[in-house]
Amino acid sequence: MKAEILKVLRECGDYVSGQQLCEQLQVSRTAVWKVINQLKEEGYEVEAIRNKGYRITSSPDIITKEELASRLDTEWAGQEIYYFDEIDSTNTKARQLADQGAPHGTLVVADCQHAGRGRRGRVWESPKGKNIYMTLLLRPEFSPDKASMLTLVMALSVYEGLKETVDLDLKIKWPNDLVCGKKKVVGILTEMSTEIDYINHVVIGTGVNVNLEELPDEIKDMATSLLLESGGKQKRSAIISAVLKHFEKNYETFIKTCDLSELQEQYNHILINKDQEVQILGEKEVYTAHALGINEKGELLIRKEDGSIVAIYAGEVSVRGLYGYVS
Ligand code: ATP
């Protein structure tokens, strides 16, 4: 009921009478009054004026289940939400929930991670109260070889969601990061459980550095936050709901063809590596090439120094600029 009251108050933007809340939500006056008090305790500012009703004047930067549910504008993404103050990793939790039968679209969010992960076992720095750590659980019906493209679908969706909330020049670094300038603000990690010919589940974890004022020394040179770049604080819940809205739309587009043919152009348009010289860090070799953009399978097309054009698959390599992380 808390989420519903929040939603009504937020969407109205003006005073809503206690009577109206009671009738709309079929609850008692006392129940409404209790929820309003809980909201105040959580940091929401709610004006209560006799004969007029309640009005929300500000909300805290929290990402609780109710706060998110009150903002979501989706059909299935985030219709079930698990929020944790602290957790090892939202991806790990989502995988456990998947094994227990959690439905397609389940969202796991946390205010802090103790064991946040990047690709190939790398650490994702996850301090408390400032950033977004979220994982979306999917149960796709397409074959396992298509699933890695979902990382790119999420990257595009995070880009579009952030564009709605913050005015920054963001770009995608293939395949799974968003950068601002030459530094990383978003990382995405897709993991899955599959059988030979079908997918049990896919989890897509997204970390966004939002209101972080200072980055740990180890990543200072190659990472940044929305706050550091824009100078302003952002509401994390608004970002999450915008990202989910875009993901849902892009996912529906993706499953029409089970490839990126309809999303490729948008992705390439904001791809920082496009038409750039890049270093390809493979497992055994490192070489320089000219990146052309992604194909409909989400592979990066590169022109090697001998003139040959090849498609590289994200699972095998990392891409860097010639002199640094991006360029
Ligand atoms: P590659 O391009 O080689 O795959 P990546 O940049 O995609 O690398 P990920 O595995 O996605 O790397 O993320 C882990 C890396 O990101 C860490 O090794 C660290 O360098 C960096 N990192 C860790 N925490 C953060 C953070 N909160 N913000 C930005 N970057 C981070």
Side-chain angles (χ1 to χ4, degrees), residues 179-224:
V179 295
C180 186
K182 295 181 176 176
K183 295 181 168 184
K184 174 148 119 184
V185 275
V186 175
I188 296 167
L189 177 68
T190 300
E191 297 176 304
M192 60 192 112
S193 157
T194 60
E195 306 300 330
I196 289 180
D197 53 354
Y198 69 91
I199 296 174
N200 293 318
H201 63 254
V202 176
V203 299
I204 311 178
T206 304
V208 187
N209 296 335
V210 183
N211 294 322
L212 206 60
E213 288 113 356
E214 211 183 357
L215 286 132
D217 283 345
E218 309 83 84
I219 56 169
K220 230 180 211 153
D221 294 338
M222 45 78 71
T224 187

Side-chain angles (χ1 to χ4, degrees), residues 94-201:
R95 293 174 77 162
Q96 286 164 3
L97 290 165
D99 289 339
Q100 292 159 16
H104 179 76
T106 298
L107 179 74
V108 180
V109 282
D111 203 36
C112 163
Q113 293 185 121
H114 298 300
R117 283 179 277 125
R119 296 205 295 164
R120 300 190 207 107
R122 288 182 287 224
V123 169
W124 187 260
E125 301 286 343
S126 309
K128 188 168 178 55
K130 309 273 180 184
N131 293 340
I132 291 171
Y133 315 112
M134 62 182 247
T135 297
L136 189 63
L137 163 64
L138 303 173
R139 295 188 179 280
E141 282 174 9
F142 45 77
S143 58
D145 58 316
K146 314 274 188 243
S148 64
M149 286 184 259
L150 293 173
T151 301
L152 286 78
V153 177
M154 182 56 92
L156 180 63
S157 310
V158 178
Y159 171 87
E160 292 171 340
L162 287 176
K163 273 287 167 195
E164 265 187 31
T165 50
V166 58
D167 183 19
L168 279 176
D169 187 20
L170 299 163
K171 291 268 168 23
I172 294 179
K173 174 181 164 289
W174 183 84
N176 65 331
D177 297 324
L178 257 67
V179 295
C180 186
K182 295 181 176 176
K183 295 181 168 184
K184 174 148 119 184
V185 275
V186 175
I188 296 167
L189 177 68
T190 300
E191 297 176 304
M192 60 192 112
S193 157
T194 60
E195 306 300 330
I196 289 180
D197 53 354
Y198 69 91
I199 296 174
N200 293 318
H201 63 254

